[in-house]
Amino acid sequence: MYKEVRKEKNEEVLKPSKNNQSKEKYRRNLQGLLDELEIKDGMTLSFHHHLRNGDYVLNMVMEEIVKRGVKDITIFASSIFPCHSPLVDYIEKGIVTQIIAAFISGPVAEAISQGKMKKVAIMHTHGGRVRLVESGDVSIDIAFIAAPTCDEIGNLTGNDGISACGSMGYAVTDAHFAKTTVVITDNLIDKLDDIEVEGKYIDYIVKVDSIGDCKGIVSGTTQITKNPIGLKIARLTTDVIHHSGYFKNGFSFQTGAGGTSLAVSYYLKQLMIKENIKGSFASGGITGYIVDMLEARLFDKLYDVQCFDLEAIRSIRENENHIPISASKYANINDDCIVNDLDFVILGATEIDLNFNVNVTTSSTGEIMGGSGGHSDTANGAKVAIIVSQLFNSRIPVIKDKVICKTTPGETIDVLVTERGIAVNPRRKDLIERFKKTNLPLKTIEELKAISDSLVGIPNQIHFTDKVVGVVEYRDGSVIDFLYQKQ
C-alpha cells in the first residue's frame, strides 16, 4: 500500500537486450502474422495511444484475435479512448479479462465501473507504466506498435506519413521489453534517417491501409477555455507563478491539456514577454500553445512525450529544439526523468479534498472517466504543483471532505486556484509567506469549501458495493486507492 511520496530509484530493473538484425521482418498481412504468432489464451498484448481517439490499430488487432477463439486476454495499453468501444463486447464475453492503463475513458471505462470485467483494472501513471515493465510486474507477450512511418528493418518514427502523430514516447518501452514486437504501419519506406525507435527492437512489420485518423489526436480538452470564470482562474494562476519565487530566467513549465490549464500558457506568455523572462524548457504532452512559446524564443527547448495537436506534430518534425522523449525519460521513477526538473506544473481535478488529495480518475459521481496519466508524476517532481478548477460547476463542488478516488497524494499538491480564492497547502509555508505580501486572494481550503457549501450545498454521498473493479497505483507501484462498483 501507498505510504509516502518518494523519488528514490530502484536499481534492480530489467534492461533492454533485444538485437533483431533480421531483414525478413515484413509479413503480407495481419491475419497471416497472427496465425504465425500462435496467439494463446492468457496473453498480455500492449498498445500505445499516440493516435488517441483516432487509433485504428487496437480494434484492428483485437478483431482478428477474437476470430481465433482465444480468451483471457490482458490489454496493456498506455490509454484507452472512446474509439476503443468494441472492447466492451470482448469484456462481456470474457475474451478480454483485464485492462492495465494510465487513462481510461468512454464506454470501456463505463463497463469497468459497472463491474463487467472479470479481473480488476490496474490504473497506473505514465511513468509507472515503464516501472511496471522494467520491474517485471508486467510481461508483454506481444506489443503492437502503430507506426506512422517504418522502414524495411523496423526503424520507425511518428513524425512523417499520412497518420503522423509526432512523438512516440509511450511505444519505446513496449518495443524494448516485449517478447515479440509487431509494427503496424501505413507508410513503409526503404530507409529511415529520423529514427525514434530502432529496428533492432522490432520483430515483424505489417503494412495496412490506415493505422488511424490523426485528427482524432485533437480530442477532448485541447483548446483554451472561453469561459470567463476559467480565464479568471488562469490569470490568477499566472499571478501565483509570478510571485512564487521560481519565476526567473531558466524556469521550466508544464501544463495539462484542459481548457483552463491551456489558458495559463497564454497569460504566462504575455507575462514572460512583459518581464523579459526566458524559460529553459517546457515538457509533457505538447500543444500548439506551447509551440508558440518555443517559436517566440520564450523557451529554449520542448521535451515531448506525446503531441496533443497537429501544430505540435508540425513543430516536432521541423524544429530541432522540439525533442521527442520516451516515457521513461519523461516520468519513470527509475530514470533521470524530466518531471523531476520541473519548476511549475498546472493540473486539473474533478475533486480535491481538505488534505489536497486530488481525484482525476473518476467523475464526482464515481464513474471511471480518466486516470492519472502524468498527473501524479509531475506533481511529485515539480517544485510548485498547481491545481486549477472552478469552485463548483453545474452545482457540483470540487472541494470535498474526502475524494472518491485518491489519484495524486495531497503532499505533492502545493496550490489550488479557484475563481473565488487561492488555497496554499499548509506544508508550503514559503509560498504562503510570499503570497501574503501580494494582492492574491488567499484563503484556506476549508474557507473555500465553506463558500462552496454555502452556495451549492453538500452533495449527497455516493454509494458503492464492496466489489473492487480497479486498483490505482502510485508512480512507485504502491497501491494508493481502490475503485468500487457503484450501487
Side-chain angles (χ1 to χ4, degrees), residues 354-365:
L354 296 177
N355 292 316
F356 285 82
N357 297 308
V358 172
N359 175 18
V360 290
T361 302
T362 75
S363 67
S364 57
T365 53

Side-chain angles (χ1 to χ4, degrees), residues 47-52 76-81 100-105 122-134 138 140 167-174 177 254-257 283-286 303-308 325-335 337-339 342 345 347 360-361 370-380 407-408 472-477:
F47 301 87
H48 68 76
H49 74 282
H50 289 288
L51 286 160
R52 294 169 64 85
F76 183 58
S78 47
S79 292
I80 296 290
F81 285 91
I100 306 173
F103 182 97
I104 306 175
S105 65
I122 297 175
M123 302 197 66
H124 49 71
T125 73
H126 280 328
R129 184 173 192 270
V130 184
R131 190 212 61 78
L132 276 166
V133 178
E134 284 186 345
V138 169
I140 303 170
S167 175
M168 294 189 64
Y170 296 114
V172 176
T173 298
D174 303 42
F177 293 102
Q254 179 171 330
T255 185
S283 64
I286 297 295
Y303 293 112
D304 191 346
V305 69
Q306 67 171 323
C307 294
F308 275 147
I325 58 173
S326 69
S328 185
K329 279 297 176 188
Y330 172 53
N332 177 14
I333 195 171
N334 293 322
D335 206 336
C337 55
I338 289 291
V339 298
L342 279 171
V345 64
L347 299 164
V360 290
T361 302
S372 177
H375 200 284
S376 295
D377 298 314
T378 52
N380 187 3
T407 310
T408 297
V472 181
E473 283 193 357
Y474 192 52
R475 63 189 310 230
D476 62 0

Side-chain angles (χ1 to χ4, degrees), residues 2 16 26 29 94 161 174 181 248 273 296 341 392 398 419 428 460 462 468 477:
Y2 167 82
Y26 178 73
N29 55 59
D174 303 42
T181 304
K248 53 191 174 185
I273 294 171
D341 294 327
F392 51 85
V398 70
E419 74 279 18
R428 293 303 305 266
N460 295 329
I462 308 298
V468 175

Side-chain angles (χ1 to χ4, degrees), residues 49-56 80-84 103 105 162-165 210-222 306-310 313:
H49 74 282
H50 289 288
L51 286 160
R52 294 169 64 85
N53 204 34
D55 172 56
Y56 293 169
I80 296 290
F81 285 91
C83 66
H84 300 125
F103 182 97
S105 65
I162 194 170
S163 304
C165 61
S210 177
I211 62 170
D213 180 0
C214 57
K215 294 177 183 175
I217 294 172
V218 191
S219 56
T221 53
T222 53
Q306 67 171 323
C307 294
F308 275 147
D309 60 25
L310 303 184
I313 295 169

Side-chain angles (χ1 to χ4, degrees), residues 20 25 153-156 175-176 195-202:
N20 188 336
K25 298 178 181 179
I153 61 172
N155 297 311
L156 62 90
H176 283 183
I195 299 170
E196 196 165 351
V197 178
E198 294 179 78
K200 68 180 183 180
Y201 298 111
I202 307 304

Side-chain angles (χ1 to χ4, degrees), residues 34 96 256 287 318 346 374 475:
L34 293 178
V96 170
T287 64
E318 297 177 356
I346 313 301
R475 63 189 310 230

